[in-house]
Every structure is written in structure tokens, then in C-alpha cells.
Amino acid sequence: MKDEIFSIIKKEERRQRTELVLIPSENYASAAVMKAVGSVLMNKYSEGQVGRRYYQGNANIDDVERTCKERALRLFGLDGGEWSVNVQALSGSPANLAVLVALVEPGQRIFSMFLPDGGHLSHGWHLPDRPVSFASKIWDVVFYHVDRKTRVFDYDRIGKDAATVTPRIIISGGTAYPREIDHRRMGEIAKAVGAWYLADIAHEAGLVSAGVNTSPFSYADVVTMTTHKTLRGPRGAMIFSRKDLSAKIDAAVFPGIQGGPHEHTIAGIAVALREASGGTFRKYAAQVVANAKVMAEELSNAGFDVVTGGTDKHLVLVDLRSRKLDGWTGAWGLESAGIIVNRNTVPYDTASSFYPSGIRLGTPAVTTRGMKEREMRRVVSWIQDVLSHVSNLKLPKQPSDRAPFLQMLSKDSFLSRIKREVSTFANRFPVPGIDRPKNL
Ligand SMILES: Cc1ncc(COP(=O)(O)O)c(C=O)c1O
């Protein structure tokens, strides 16, 4: 009998094909990437580094991992005499943890971007009265903030605060920050206070590799990134470090916090890195940003409060408070119409992260399907229709109203009609990993 998991996977294929995926951290990996990840490499244990394994039978694995590392350095234009890369971290959060384990003694201070201002949990997120991330239990984490009015960073202010905080490491990394981070300034600030500078470009990796966003490599000591967002590979991560730090980083990944690396994922990353090295990918990355800019502009023109007034990259953050909605009602309304976004906190949000005030939209996945500016205008017009419609419904006032509200959305004929339109529209654009070329 066939395992029911495969029928669930079929349903998920259908969902990914018929809905509009606007989550900025998601993308569609190619059929070749998926083939590498689903390969026999998953059967192998390979603790250790290339050429220095604790298990026998690793000649082919060494070739895979060596190729991946070479491609990674080449893609970002790095000299192997100055930079090293570790491709074994299982994902972005363990990659960041490994850097902290390698470079910061327990109890020392970290200076990182405040989560509601667009930072990430793995940079040591904690509440005033209790730790949340594991990092915040081990290290003393202090946050820097965006300006209340402009909602962008004031680097003079960060510099002054860093001099008072005297951290061991400064971390940047925008999960929901729509503007480019000034890596030159951040690097200078870190240097001035004797701290390491870790640039986490999890979101922008593909844009940086394509030269569409600014590279942090001239200014940072360590650069981490995920491989599954704009870089369009499998779920994974890479840690680039200046040569003198690499032995510590490798040891922090294994045996510090991990066991056997996932070589099937590393093979998938290697395939994605090759794909990202061509002119087609550079055009793709430029289109991702062009699409996001149109999306931001159209939303602004429609009267939405677009945080910072626009975007420099692949994501747009919208504060829904002026529309009398919150992120939860907005995101569920859109999902009922086949449009998938994140609910997200916005700078100086007073709401909780589960019921935040905004939504976060991104263009990497729809751009992979071949959508351009014209399609973004169509998508924004649906978003506008859906959110206007939802704001006229009976919105939940208390927690017990939420389940009936979702029921009401599922029966709403206006939203069902848009969902059908969205599905017909989305079906016109192939999904690379699903609509596989015949020769794979
Ligand atoms: C800036 C940043 N760093 C790290 C991560 C963590 O990546 P992962 O979910 O792979 O652990 C993310 C994920 O969205 C991120 O946005």
C-alpha cells in the first residue's frame, strides 16, 4: 500500500502551484536541487571536515563538500587565502549559534538588532523579564533600534550606543527590515569598539551574490546566510569567516553543536550555487527587487502604510493599523483568497508577535515563476480588494471570536471568488521543482 505521506505531498504540490507565495523567506528550488537533496548522499555519515573524517567511505562525500565550498567562495568573489566557508550548519539559526560559540565567551555582550525592528530570534532575542532564544540564556544581549519616525537605522546613534555597550560582537541581519543595511558603517562601528562584526545576510544572500544588494564581505569578520531564501537552494546555511577564525568556527559547528553533516543538503547547495553563478540568476535577482519596488509603490498608492515608504530588496512590510486591521486578520483574509503572506511585527509595535500589527510580503517565489511588474500590479489589486473586504467584516474583539471568524472567512463567497481567480492566474506560471524538465 502506498504511504499516505505521498498523497499529502501531492496536495502540497497543488497548493504551491495554485496559491501565490509571497512569504519573503520562501522560494522554489529547482528540480536539479531537489534531485541532489533526495539522493543517496543522505545515507552517509561524514563527521569531520573534507579529507579529515571520523568515518570510512567518504571519498565521494569529500568531493561533494569540497566542490560546494569552492563554488561558495567563487560565487561571492572571495579569495580562498583570506576567507573560509563552512557549509555544514543545518540551518540559519544553528549557523548563528555556532558563530557565537566560536567567538564569544559565555556572559560576554552581544549587540544586535531589535526583533520588532526586523531582527532575528537567533541574534539573542529576549524579553525584558525572560530569555527566549537559547543565545539569550548564555550571553548578555543588548539591542539597537530603528529611529521611531523614519523606521530606518540611525548609524550615528548605533555608534554612540555601541561605545557605551562595549559588546564582543555586533550582529546585523534583516528578517523584516526592507532597507539595505550599511555594512561599511556597521563594520566601522564594530572596529571602533573592538568587536567582531557578524553580517547575517540570510535573506539577501541571492541578491548580494548577484550584485543587486551591497556585499558585506569587505567590512565583516563573519558572514552567515541561509541557502533557501533568495539564494534558491535547499534549506541550509553557510558560514563565511576570515581565515584566522575558520578553525574556531569549524570546531563550533562540529563537534561544538552538531553531529554528522547533511551531505545531501550540501550537494543541493552546491547545485544551487552553480545555478546562481549564471547571468539568468543575475537577471532573476534584479527582477526580484524590481517586483518588490512595484509592490511597495502600488501598496503606497493604495493608501497602505508601507514601513520606511518602500524597499531596497525583496520584501515589503506593511503596517495595517491605519486600515483598522491587524496582521492576523489580514493574513488569514489573504490566505482565504489564495494569497500567502506572513503576519509580522512592525517597528515600535505594541501588539504581540502572534497577533502583530503588520504583514510582510516578498517577491522571490513569484519571480521564480516568471512574474514581472505587470503581475505585481494585479497581485496588489487583489490584496487591496481582500483587505478592504475583510476590514468590513465583523472582526474578532476577543480570543474566543477568532475561531468563528476563520469559519466565516472559509464560507465567504467574495474571498472564494478571488481564490478561484488567483488559482487560474497562478497556474499560468510554472513551478520549477514541480513542473520538472523531462531529462531530470
Ligand atoms: C536574518 C535571519 N537569520 C537567520 C534566520 C534563521 O534561519 P533558519 O530558519 O534556517 O534557522 C533567518 C530566518 O528567517 C533570518 O531571517
Side-chain angles (χ1 to χ4, degrees):
M1 202 174 62
K2 218 171 166 195
D3 191 324
E4 71 187 274
I5 283 294
F6 293 102
S7 63
I8 301 173
I9 293 174
K10 274 277 160 231
K11 278 200 238 166
E12 176 60 10
E13 279 186 7
R14 194 179 133 66
R15 187 194 73 76
Q16 291 193 16
R17 192 204 294 272
T18 56
E19 293 185 337
L20 289 171
V21 175
L22 295 180
I23 293 181
S25 47
E26 293 183 5
N27 210 331
Y28 297 105
S30 72
V33 166
M34 290 169 75
K35 190 173 178 186
V37 174
S39 71
V40 293
L41 298 174
M42 75 175 66
N43 299 330
K44 192 71 195 93
Y45 249 109
S46 57
E47 283 174 355
Q49 302 297 326
V50 175
R52 287 184 293 117
R53 306 285 183 181
Y54 289 82
Y55 286 74
Q56 296 309 114
N58 271 310
N60 298 323
I61 294 293
D62 274 354
D63 284 346
V64 166
E65 195 168 328
R66 186 185 305 105
T67 305
C68 184
K69 287 156 80 92
E70 285 168 3
R71 288 183 183 177
L73 292 173
R74 206 178 313 129
L75 182 68
F76 288 93
L78 300 173
D79 176 350
E82 284 178 27
W83 285 87
S84 279
V85 60
N86 182 300
V87 294
Q88 296 184 353
L90 298 177
S91 218
S93 300
N96 287 335
L97 181 60
V99 175
L100 296 176
V101 167
L103 303 183
V104 192
E105 292 299 322
Q108 286 187 329
R109 199 164 282 162
I110 298 170
F111 196 34
S112 67
M113 188 170 160
F114 194 54
L115 186 72
D117 292 356
H120 191 259
L121 285 164
S122 62
H123 301 170
W125 178 240
H126 61 83
L127 295 169
D129 56 341
R130 66 183 164 89
V132 178
S133 74
F134 179 67
S136 65
K137 290 189 179 177
I138 306 296
W139 294 281
D140 178 15
V141 188
V142 181
F143 301 112
Y144 54 89
H145 298 260
V146 293
D147 178 79
R148 188 180 275 276
K149 212 159 155 213
T150 61
R151 297 181 281 185
V152 296
F153 287 120
D154 171 348
Y155 293 95
D156 292 337
R157 178 77 199 273
I158 295 175
K160 277 190 199 133
D161 290 348
T164 317
V165 171
T166 58
R168 190 75 191 101
I169 192 166
I170 298 182
I171 310 177
S172 72
T175 299
Y177 186 64
R179 296 302 182 173
E180 282 214 62
I181 285 164
D182 188 337
H183 295 294
R184 187 179 59 79
R185 290 295 303 277
M186 293 301 284
E188 285 168 0
I189 292 168
K191 216 179 206 143
V193 298
W196 303 115
Y197 175 38
L198 162 59
D200 175 357
I201 55 164
H203 269 260
E204 306 86 351
L207 308 180
V208 169
S209 78
V212 175
N213 270 186
T214 314
S215 169
F217 285 98
S218 304
Y219 316 107
D221 301 291
V222 183
V223 176
T224 53
M225 63 185 71
T226 54
T227 47
H228 46 275
K229 298 186 176 89
T230 51
L231 201 50
R232 214 162 61 179
R235 310 196 80 76
M238 300 193 286
I239 308 171
F240 294 79
S241 58
R242 293 200 180 266
K243 209 79 191 177
D244 52 330
L245 303 178
S246 66
K248 279 187 176 173
I249 302 270
D250 285 347
V253 174
F254 170 81
I257 63 168
Q258 288 186 188
H262 293 190
E263 296 291 347
H264 53 303
T265 301
I266 291 171
I269 294 172
V271 173
L273 291 170
R274 183 157 183 261
E275 291 173 355
S277 68
T280 315
F281 189 87
R282 280 194 288 279
K283 272 197 202 138
Y284 159 73
Q287 189 66 52
V288 166
V289 176
N291 282 353
K293 282 181 186 290
V294 167
M295 190 176 265
E297 197 180 304
E298 292 288 306
L299 286 161
S300 274
N301 291 345
F304 284 96
D305 177 7
V306 172
V307 173
T308 78
T311 183
D312 299 329
K313 43 195 204 184
H314 61 299
L315 72 85
V316 180
L317 186 65
V318 181
D319 186 338
L320 288 177
R321 285 176 290 193
S322 60
R323 307 292 280 221
K324 303 207 167 37
L325 288 170
D326 62 22
W328 188 89
T329 45
W332 276 109
L334 288 166
E335 175 154 358
S336 308
I339 300 170
I340 307 299
V341 304
N342 276 117
R343 52 192 198 268
N344 217 98
T345 46
V346 294
Y348 298 93
D349 210 334
T350 48
S352 76
S353 54
F354 207 77
Y355 301 107
S357 299
I359 51 173
R360 189 181 68 143
L361 309 107
T363 52
V366 288
T367 308
T368 291
R369 296 184 74 170
M371 295 185 201
K372 295 209 163 81
E373 288 87 342
R374 194 158 69 104
E375 284 78 28
M376 293 307 104
R377 292 194 183 94
R378 184 75 194 95
V379 171
V380 170
S381 123
W382 274 315
I383 291 173
Q384 198 186 342
D385 290 349
V386 169
L387 294 180
S388 302
H389 178 76
V390 172
S391 65
N392 289 324
L393 298 175
K394 190 165 177 273
L395 297 172
K397 287 213 164 53
Q398 51 198 21
S400 61
D401 297 341
R402 292 192 187 273
F405 176 74
L406 290 183
Q407 275 258 315
M408 179 172 68
L409 290 184
S410 69
K411 292 189 194 126
D412 187 294
S413 58
F414 179 83
L415 297 175
S416 305
R417 179 172 63 71
I418 295 195
K419 191 179 169 100
R420 282 194 300 279
E421 285 173 19
V422 163
S423 167
T424 308
F425 169 86
N427 261 319
R428 287 186 8 229
F429 298 88
V431 176
I434 300 173
D435 305 304
R436 282 168 182 255
K438 289 275 175 296
N439 58 354
L440 268 170

